Amino acid sequence: MSIELKNIVKRFGAFSALNNVDLTIADGELLALLGPSGSGKTTLLRIIAGLDWPDSGSVSFDGENALARGAGERQVGFVFQHYALFRHMTVFENVAFGLRVQPRAIRKDEASIRARVKELLDLVQLDWLADRYPSQLSGGQRQRIALARALATEPRILLLDEPFGALDAKVRKELRRWLRSLHEEIHVTSVFVTHDQEEALEVANRVVVMDKGRIEQIGKPGEVYDSPATAFVHGFIGESIVLPVDIQDGVIRLGGTPLNIAAECGAAGPSKLFVRRHDMQISPPGWGGLEGTVRRVRSFGPIQRADIALSDGQGETIIEIDAPRDRELRSGEVVGLQPRRYRIFADRT
Amino acid sequence: MSEAAFTIPLDRTDARTEPRWVRGLLIGLCGLFLTVFIVLPLTIVFAEALARGGQAYLAALTEPEALSAIKLTLTVAAISVGLNLVFGLIAAWAVAKFEFPGKTLLITLIDLPFSVSPVISGLVFVLLFGGQGFLGPWLQDNDIQLLFALPGIALATTFVTFPFVSRALIPLMQEQGTAEEEAALSLGASGLQTFFRVTLPNIKWGLLYGVLLCNARAMGEFGAVSVVSGHIRGETNTMPLLVEILYNEYQFVAAFAVASLLALLALITLVAKTILEGQLDEGRQAREH
Ligand SMILES: Nc1ncnc2c1ncn2[C@@H]1O[C@H](COP(=O)(O)OP(=O)(O)OP(=O)(O)O)[C@@H](O)[C@H]1O
Ligand SMILES: [Mg+2]
């Protein structure tokens, strides 16, 4: 089922949690909502699920107005940020809940309910936990039970709010891969929230980056990483070196020193130069731009990470770069730095 | 290294520094106090009640006046516990799960019966429903007898015991939040299904706890009931009122016999309360995981 959000505004008192959010999600898509804490991700999911209503804007599922329908009628499976399992029910009953509360006319008989729950527990590979209570499960197990519960009634949309939030890195990776393959298997339109960029880039077909209640960029994982649309996205996805520069007549200056790189046409005034750590190339001093002194070098695997003190006129700025190991850096050495790829955004602050 | 070097010194079993005798003294004083002020009076109630033997005890309890008082007390308790169960649940629900202006005021109002002397509470009803009262003439015109009858007693008792159920539930429901209810709704449950399948099971021990205390207080209430009852013998005397009357008439065995029933109720309440608190604790621990 496709989802269309138009011009969603949501306020809590004077605070705007969502500002004019527009988003279209295609049928069968696996979309990641990525953003820092407090950016409105949960609020957006809750509006899609019918647990909150926007102050203005529209939500439609397959072209039908969803706002006219309550949470129970939207056929949305919601996996909550903090699981929200029913603590007084066994795992089995938790998963069976959605089936047991169906209107009598469509409710399945006990045997089919049992069969369906069994099937779901097998799917999340936790059938051996059927008789436990939620308090007797580990975080990862609770997460998967919450997912099984949400899937029981065959929702047409699946919303996952930081499904792997509370888990350690290894289990996260496992579940991430598992979610990906689950989606390939059942193909339900899914939105999952995360503030872990790696997770978003690895699992999703498309990534939506949010900040302060606004959508900053929507794109394929590669796009948001390689061509960030805004300074925020560049800084948030992947680590970046950020340098304050000034542009006049197409010349970029860092602390008065002109840099020998081209400005995008039209750019002028105070701006920010964004370069990925591995896009900063070491070159002989005097190439006509950035120069600095190597302070500290750490080598691991194929790269060496160096702290370099830039002399930018007003004092020192220390940046971290990743360089290949073909040329060993020594501390104290003066090197030239040439951004191989970079982006410039007007400084709005 | 020899193991003997590491035996635990006998007089040090924990990190606290109070010498044993201080601890002993404190515990002893506490025990003495409880004995003198609680255990002893309770024992005396039963001893006095049985002073003339089991026959006299049973005879005192099967007096028509005593039977009528017991019946009235049970009826009043049933009514006020029933009403407070419903109102308490509604009030707790409103306070714990919704945000609305005037919420603080509502919480203060819920507590009002605890901070007002029961006698005043009773008087309020007399002022409201009495012959010269605010609603009195209207009640008389319509032939409704509230004061000096079962409805008045039940009303006063309900007022006095109102906070028990909601007080037991509010912190519990606040702590639990609305997440499980939201999960239930999004899984397609109706409002009623959500209440009976999710909310109620989660608060059942707290609810029972509130009902228990509410019941104990409803049966034992004296002040408010005394004002509105009119002390009509065999008709509007509850057990606590009857105890006072019998005592004032020097019928000690009868007085203590009825009192012993109330004391028994207190003991049963205490045991049930302890069990329930255990259940509540278990629930809390389960939640923390
Ligand atoms: N019920 C509410 N009342 C008031 N403010 C709220 C409420 N719910 C959310 N907010 C505010 O709205 C903003 C967005 O909240 P939201 O929960 O959507 O963030 P999030 O992106 O999910 O963050 P996180 O990654 O920490 O879960 C936050 O600043 C939050 O304080
Ligand atoms: Mg959130």
Side-chain angles (χ1 to χ4, degrees), chain A residues 42 81 161-162:
Chain A
T42 299
Q81 193 163 3
D161 197 351
E162 303 211 16

Side-chain angles (χ1 to χ4, degrees), chain A residues 10-13 15-18 33-46 52 81-82 161-162 193-195 210 212-213, chain B residues 99:
Chain A
K10 175 72 185 173
R11 290 190 202 88
F12 293 108
F15 175 81
S16 292
L18 292 174
L33 269 186
L34 183 60
S37 192
S39 54
K41 307 179 297 287
T42 299
T43 308
L44 191 61
L45 279 202
R46 290 174 57 87
D52 263 331
Q81 193 163 3
H82 304 288
D161 197 351
E162 303 211 16
V193 162
T194 174
H195 50 225
M210 292 183 68
K212 301 199 182 97
Chain B
E99 291 301 326

Side-chain angles (χ1 to χ4, degrees), chain B residues 191-213:
Chain B
L192 273 183
Q193 283 173 322
T194 304
F195 178 76
F196 284 108
R197 286 170 182 259
V198 177
T199 312
L200 204 56
N202 273 340
I203 57 169
K204 63 179 179 224
W205 297 118
L207 188 64
L208 215 56
Y209 183 80
V211 163
L212 187 78
L213 293 186

Side-chain angles (χ1 to χ4, degrees), chain B residues 16-266:
Chain B
R16 283 166 302 175
T17 51
E18 293 91 351
R20 278 199 161 181
W21 68 269
V22 173
R23 269 185 265 167
L25 188 72
L26 288 177
I27 295 169
L29 274 177
C30 188
L32 188 71
F33 184 86
L34 284 176
T35 313
V36 172
F37 284 91
I38 294 171
V39 179
L40 216 57
L42 211 59
T43 325
I44 288 175
V45 169
F46 288 102
E48 288 285 330
L50 294 165
R52 303 256 176 84
Q55 287 288 2
Y57 178 77
L58 280 183
L61 286 184
T62 46
E63 280 274 311
E65 248 183 62
L67 284 179
S68 131
I70 293 172
K71 196 173 140 224
L72 180 64
T73 303
L74 291 178
T75 315
V76 167
I79 295 173
S80 49
V81 168
L83 287 177
N84 280 338
L85 179 73
V86 176
F87 292 145
L89 205 57
I90 292 172
W93 185 290
V95 167
K97 313 248 164 171
F98 303 125
E99 291 301 326
F100 53 91
K103 190 163 146 174
T104 329
L105 185 72
L106 186 71
I107 298 176
T108 317
L109 276 180
I110 288 174
D111 277 342
L112 186 75
F114 273 176
S115 47
V116 172
S117 157
V119 178
I120 312 277
S121 310
L123 268 178
V124 170
F125 285 102
V126 172
L127 291 177
L128 212 55
F129 302 127
Q132 276 76 46
F134 186 62
L135 291 172
W138 183 86
L139 288 175
Q140 255 162 13
D141 291 347
N142 289 280
D143 235 1
I144 301 172
Q145 180 72 27
L146 272 186
L147 285 185
F148 316 129
L150 175 70
I153 299 173
L155 217 58
T157 308
T158 306
F159 177 83
V160 173
T161 56
F162 181 76
F164 284 104
V165 174
S166 42
R167 275 280 123 188
L169 290 184
I170 289 172
L172 192 65
M173 287 172 104
Q174 272 174 338
E175 186 191 322
Q176 292 180 348
T178 49
E180 287 185 38
E181 274 91 2
E182 284 179 346
L185 288 176
S186 122
L187 286 167
S190 67
L192 273 183
Q193 283 173 322
T194 304
F195 178 76
F196 284 108
R197 286 170 182 259
V198 177
T199 312
L200 204 56
N202 273 340
I203 57 169
K204 63 179 179 224
W205 297 118
L207 188 64
L208 215 56
Y209 183 80
V211 163
L212 187 78
L213 293 186
C214 179
N215 179 57
R217 179 68 191 269
M219 290 192 176
E221 177 53 29
F222 181 85
V225 171
S226 172
V227 178
V228 297
S229 111
H231 302 274
I232 305 168
R233 299 194 80 141
E235 269 184 49
T236 64
N237 276 335
T238 60
M239 285 160 72
L241 297 186
L242 185 66
V243 170
E244 198 212 13
I245 291 172
L246 292 172
Y247 186 82
N248 286 341
E249 291 173 351
Y250 304 105
Q251 305 189 40
F252 293 128
V253 169
F256 279 110
V258 178
S260 73
L261 284 188
L262 287 172
L264 207 62
L265 168 76

Side-chain angles (χ1 to χ4, degrees), chain A residues 41-298:
Chain A
K41 307 179 297 287
T42 299
T43 308
L44 191 61
L45 279 202
R46 290 174 57 87
I47 286 173
I48 299 176
L51 297 172
D52 263 331
W53 264 259
D55 293 318
S56 65
S58 69
V59 179
S60 49
F61 294 168
D62 274 348
E64 274 175 52
N65 177 17
L67 292 178
R69 281 185 269 157
E73 301 155 339
R74 291 198 194 180
Q75 292 181 284
V76 168
F78 202 122
V79 178
F80 291 82
Q81 193 163 3
H82 304 288
Y83 324 116
L85 293 177
F86 305 123
R87 61 185 131 233
H88 64 283
M89 293 182 203
T90 59
V91 162
F92 185 94
E93 286 304 319
N94 262 282
V95 178
F97 186 90
L99 300 169
R100 293 204 194 283
V101 298
Q102 281 179 331
R104 188 152 297 161
I106 57 164
R107 196 187 308 156
K108 297 179 172 153
D109 60 43
E110 183 64 24
S112 336
I113 291 181
R114 297 205 149 260
R116 172 82 180 135
V117 174
K118 173 95 184 35
E119 184 186 311
L120 284 159
L121 288 177
D122 284 340
L123 179 74
V124 297
Q125 298 153 9
L126 290 177
D127 49 319
W128 52 287
L129 290 176
D131 296 324
R132 297 253 194 110
Y133 283 89
S135 60
Q136 301 164 321
L137 303 180
S138 77
Q141 291 166 342
R142 277 180 218 179
Q143 198 61 71
R144 279 185 279 172
I145 297 303
L147 187 56
R149 181 179 71 174
L151 289 172
T153 44
E154 294 173 19
R156 297 192 293 166
I157 295 170
L158 187 60
L159 305 175
L160 306 111
D161 197 351
E162 303 211 16
F164 317 126
L167 308 176
D168 66 62
K170 188 165 171 295
V171 182
R172 268 178 108 106
K173 269 222 161 88
E174 239 166 65
L175 283 183
R176 198 188 285 172
R177 206 159 301 140
W178 179 81
L179 175 65
R180 181 77 246 182
S181 61
L182 178 80
H183 184 258
E184 268 152 26
E185 206 171 306
I186 60 177
H187 258 297
V188 56
T189 309
S190 310
V191 181
F192 88 100
V193 162
T194 174
H195 50 225
D196 178 339
Q197 35 156 319
E198 201 186 317
E199 203 160 278
L201 299 180
E202 195 170 305
V203 179
N205 306 123
R206 268 198 315 156
V207 177
V208 174
V209 185
M210 292 183 68
D211 183 40
K212 301 199 182 97
R214 278 175 211 286
I215 292 186
E216 294 274 326
Q217 186 171 9
I218 305 177
K220 296 220 155 46
E223 278 167 25
V224 290
Y225 187 86
D226 293 328
S227 27
T230 64
F232 171 81
V233 178
H234 205 306
F236 187 70
I237 305 219
E239 302 207 45
S240 306
I241 298 164
V242 188
L243 295 169
V245 294
D246 193 63
I247 306 177
Q248 298 296 340
D249 308 323
V251 180
I252 307 177
R253 287 168 205 274
L254 175 71
T257 318
L259 300 182
N260 194 8
I261 53 179
E264 280 153 71
C265 49
S271 305
K272 282 193 162 124
L273 174 70
F274 283 79
V275 188
R276 301 254 182 240
R277 280 211 294 240
H278 54 85
D279 282 337
M280 202 58 114
Q281 197 174 354
I282 305 284
S283 50
W287 66 278
L290 290 167
E291 233 171 72
T293 314
V294 179
R295 281 289 153 80
R296 215 159 76 83
V297 185
R298 289 139 290 168

